[in-house]
Amino acid sequence: MKILNIVGARPNFMKIAPLHRAFQQHEQVESKIVHTGQHYDEKMSDIFFNQLELPKPHYFLGIGGGSHTQQTAKIMIAFEKVVEDEKPDLILVVGDVNSTIACTLVAIKMGVPLAHVEAGLRSGDRTMPEEVNRVLTDSVSDYLFVTEQSGMINLAKEGIADEKVFFVGNVMIDSLAYFREKAANNDILQQADTKAGEYILMTMHRPANVDNEAGLKSILKIIKNAAKYKKVVFPIHPRTSNNMAKFGLKDQLESIDNLVLMGPQGYLQFLKLMENAALIITDSGGIQEETTYLQVPCLTFRDSTERPITTTLGTNQLLRDLNPVTVHEKMVEILNGQTRKGVIPPLWDGQAAERIAAILVEKGK
Ligand code: UD1
């Protein structure tokens, strides 16, 4: 059984790593990795291959940047050739990025069975490109692997046949559990000149928050407020960094006291930063899950979440807007200890990839 595993953007690498490892345990599976090139910087891509012990991708399509339409269309054209050459038995996509939908469309048009890992998540917000990517991918997948109960309910509501849907847990948590010990050994806290529990970790990259001047100014105010209480460590995404420069706000950002501004971090460095933070302020999808597993308080700047279990069982709280006053109040609450530890969601046990591999091998017989 030949499987082509698709990666493109940063949040894909830690999901494919445990799957590729699990497939290697089955001699009847040939597992190959196709990197679309959606993320291409050393710090957004290569470092993850090294740290996550992934082999060099078998194919690198080199499609980075451009509008979402161009990106998606170019990936489709390049990936079609790979599928023609490889004639895979299965294409496996993860998550909700543009590479996911692009390769999904190729799989369908070329009649190759498709597996979607992290299926069923819904924020209900169709203005997010990721939500559209999720809905479309799930609607045509043959195997849908689900991380949390809400996903099962969403897929049932959308009329996806039960026999295609499998509740398996969370492959991103597989990576976290696998690499947690190793991550403890790097010196990122010294680099940031801080100690465990003594800093707030911040990430921001959603277009809705960082593609406009008002959003960026709110982010500056939030950092200034936070930095009055604790050091703020901010590994900045290229989109955010580019936009700070574009709107002439870079100097203001760089001059904030008690702020450690860094480039994008490797997987192991970022894991250590998350594990030891007093609080994480973010607009990421995946970090909501990682903080829930690590039982670290998380404030997420989103109107909605496709990962509701992180707010019902986990340590995540949604903040509906970038209003610095609300953020300030919440932050003080958390720093004063008004937090809950939460519980780790069902099947987030480090074994999701093995379950997926076993199911696919059984179905492929
Ligand atoms: C993408 C995903 C988003 C995910 C995020 C994680 C989609 C629709 N969005 O958003 O779900 O949370 O990745 O990072 O797929 N850039 C670089 N170097 C890189 C990568 C990007 O400089 O290695 C810059 C480029 O200017 C690029 C911009 O960042 O145009 C945005 O990159 P893109 O892949 O379009 O989307 P992200 O915002 O990273």
Side-chain angles (χ1 to χ4, degrees), residues 11 38-41 44 71 97-98 130 205 237-239 242:
Q38 181 178 341
H39 284 174
Y40 47 86
D41 284 356
M44 296 293 285
Q71 203 176 64
V97 302
N98 287 339
E130 293 84 357
H205 76 284
H237 185 283
R239 176 188 281 278
N242 294 341

Side-chain angles (χ1 to χ4, degrees), residues 75-188:
I75 294 170
M76 284 183 71
I77 293 167
F79 184 53
E80 181 182 49
K81 290 198 189 73
V82 177
V83 177
E84 273 166 3
D85 290 348
E86 287 287 337
K87 305 197 175 21
D89 300 296
L90 183 80
I91 291 171
L92 184 146
V93 295
V94 294
D96 53 21
V97 302
N98 287 339
S99 301
T100 310
I101 184 65
C103 295
T104 289
L105 291 172
V106 174
I108 292 315
K109 294 196 180 298
M110 300 186 73
V112 181
L114 178 73
H116 184 208
V117 174
E118 215 184 73
L121 297 179
R122 297 289 181 269
S123 67
D125 177 359
R126 295 268 174 116
T127 65
M128 288 177 69
E130 293 84 357
E131 179 75 353
V132 176
N133 293 344
R134 289 181 204 114
V135 171
L136 297 180
T137 301
D138 285 341
S139 71
V140 293
S141 289
D142 300 286
Y143 302 98
L144 297 95
F145 295 109
V146 177
T147 52
E148 63 165 82
Q149 197 57 37
S150 71
M152 303 297 286
I153 296 166
N154 294 332
L155 294 174
K157 267 195 223 152
E158 290 171 23
I160 308 282
D162 282 354
E163 59 271 21
K164 294 185 187 173
V165 180
F166 305 89
F167 180 40
V168 290
N170 191 326
V171 289
M172 191 177 62
I173 300 302
D174 290 2
S175 270
L176 197 162
Y178 188 82
F179 287 107
R180 195 174 182 180
E181 223 178 284
K182 193 170 175 197
N185 294 327
N186 67 64
D187 67 351
I188 189 68

